[in-house]
Amino acid sequence: METIQNFQILWYVLIFVLLLGYSLLDGFDLGIGSLLPFLGRDKEERDTLIHSIGPVWDGNEVWLITGGGALFAAFPQAYATAFSGFYLAMMLVLFALIFRAVSMEFRAHDPARAGLWEKALVAGSAVATLLFGVALGNVIYGVPLDPRMEYTGDFLTLLRPVPLLFGLTGLAAVLLQGAAWAVMKTEGALQQRAFRAVRVLLWINAAVAILYFIVMAAAFPGLTDRPLFYAGALLTLLGLVGLFFSVRRQNDVAPFWESSCSFIGLWLAAGAAQFPNLIKASNDPRLSLTIFNSSTGLHTLQVMSVIALIGMPIVIGYTVFVYRIFKGKTRPSDAY
């Protein structure tokens, strides 16, 4: 029994890392998309912003696909409950991501409707980000489940205050991540505008993060006894404080890493509140889907662990390689 529990915990951690990696990497993509009309004053500046994410955005989404595949293979019951119960919300996320993806290509090849495709990019990026956060908030805060582990609520059930706070916190963090990426990848007037956006978003993130940690401490009994919660709060604080001083010094590299540090802190607090649940039952804790009652068998977990041992270094190595190839400032003439 102890052996299978070790593998269940291992796969909880691996899925957590995959989703964290997705939020950090695709987070700045979504942030750039959401901030496009606010940072880019003309077509040349908007081209620069889109070109800064052009070579990497689709590779970043591999982390989400891998995380979803890992959830399906390791915890199939939780996967089935989430994707069937949140069907409408998941379809909205899917359509938002589709429009976001095609809008970047259509904008370049359909100049007559470039403005329309830019609006689709902005809307798709912002809606997907908000709904991802709301979905995470629901599985952590809890949703009504029946004895068959099936979701019994409706779409409006997902839009309660605490999950919405998760969505707004995630959106604020992604916007900050996007603005910090723009600071690192651009120069001149566009970069100065990105610096100003970081300054504004820094205070918004600070306010939202304070509310986020207070609400989590109040909504999840026992959370304040978990060191990981305090580690998350400390990382978020250090990231935002470091960001404040880096922006004052006009450092164009450090803000992205400090924004990422703040984002990781939010995730650590969420992980502390969630473990060992995958989907918490708000109506009866005994119906909750945990890593222990919804996992696949020991043999499958063992085989998957061998595959992950081989595959994860490849994914990480490829990601590092791509970012090294495309490092440096982005200019309007850069193609992708």
Side-chain angles (χ1 to χ4, degrees), residues 85-89 138 143-144 151-160:
F86 303 166
Y87 187 77
L88 178 57
N138 274 286
V143 293
Y151 176 65
T152 59
D154 54 28
F155 182 72
L156 293 179
T157 305
L158 304 177
L159 303 179
R160 294 164 295 166

Side-chain angles (χ1 to χ4, degrees), residues 225-283:
D225 296 329
R226 299 187 175 188
L228 192 62
F229 174 74
Y230 294 102
L234 180 60
L235 267 181
T236 297
L237 175 64
L238 291 175
L240 294 177
V241 170
L243 189 58
F244 174 79
F245 289 105
S246 293
V247 171
R248 291 189 66 180
R249 293 194 302 266
Q250 295 280 292
N251 188 317
D252 63 353
V253 175
F256 179 75
W257 300 107
E258 289 155 349
S259 171
S260 298
C261 178
S262 172
F263 210 162
I264 291 171
L266 299 175
W267 268 96
L268 290 180
Q274 178 74 336
F275 185 83
N277 295 315
L278 292 171
I279 301 178
K280 183 180 178 182
S282 58
N283 52 321

